[in-house]
């Protein structure tokens, strides 16, 4: 699946595939395969791309789409319960993303608390003046 967010941001910044590839220390054709969805982009590469493009990881990250092929299912359908094996890498990827989001939530909660305290202090100053 083509990485449309990544392509859009790269083009908006006026960067070529060659420039990004050089920054990642890979060949241009390898980078193009990643952008076009033919080669998986690792979490480490996503983080490097975010750094190169000066954007948050969440802004450009696009998870790999996984399709499930039921045509090879040799078990007779007895019930509507289906069990699928999820690759460990995919689970790890999701867990890493969840951890990033938890850190961001904590950061936003702290910032929110600081802003509330600042607002309260400003209100108190006005009240006493």
């Amino acid at each position: 699946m083509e990485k449309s967010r990544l392509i859009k941001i790269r083009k908006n910044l006026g960067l070529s595939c060659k420039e990004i590839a050089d920054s990642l220390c890979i060949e241009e054709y390898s980078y193009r395969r990643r952008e076009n969805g033919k080669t998986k982009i690792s979490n480490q590469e996503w983080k490097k791309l975010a750094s190169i493009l000066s954007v948050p990881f969440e802004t450009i990250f696009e998870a790999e789409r996984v399709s499930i092929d039921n045509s090879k299912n040799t078990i007779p359908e007895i019930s509507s319960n289906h069990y699928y094996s999820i690759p460990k890498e995919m689970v790890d990827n999701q867990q890493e993303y969840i951890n990033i989001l938890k850190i961001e939530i904590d950061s936003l909660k702290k910032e929110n608390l600081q802003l509330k305290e600042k607002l309260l202090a400003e209100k108190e100053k006005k009240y006493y003046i």
Side-chain angles (χ1 to χ4, degrees), residues 31-55:
Y31 175 73
R32 285 187 185 278
R33 289 184 56 81
R34 285 165 173 76
E35 244 187 26
N36 294 328
K38 292 183 170 93
T39 300
K40 184 182 182 301
I41 300 175
S42 71
N43 283 338
Q44 185 177 7
E45 288 173 324
W46 278 116
K47 290 173 186 173
K48 284 181 185 177
L49 285 166
S51 176
I52 292 165
L53 299 171
S54 301
V55 296

Side-chain angles (χ1 to χ4, degrees), residues 72-111:
K72 297 179 184 173
N73 189 356
T74 57
I75 302 170
E77 183 138 355
I78 297 171
S79 71
S80 61
N81 293 334
H82 298 280
Y83 299 95
Y84 298 99
S85 176
I86 300 172
K88 182 177 181 337
E89 183 180 84
M90 184 182 238
V91 173
D92 291 344
N93 179 12
Q94 293 300 308
Q95 188 59 53
E96 188 174 332
Y97 188 60
I98 288 168
N99 290 337
I100 289 169
L101 291 175
K102 284 180 180 179
I103 291 168
E104 183 67 20
I105 288 169
D106 287 343
S107 173
L108 290 170
K109 283 180 179 178
K110 288 176 185 174
E111 181 182 2

Side-chain angles (χ1 to χ4, degrees), residues 13-31:
L13 292 172
L15 296 170
S16 69
C17 288
K18 173 85 171 111
E19 290 171 306
I20 301 295
D22 289 345
S23 296
L24 291 172
C25 299
I26 61 175
E27 296 294 325
E28 182 180 358
Y29 76 90
S30 293
Y31 175 73

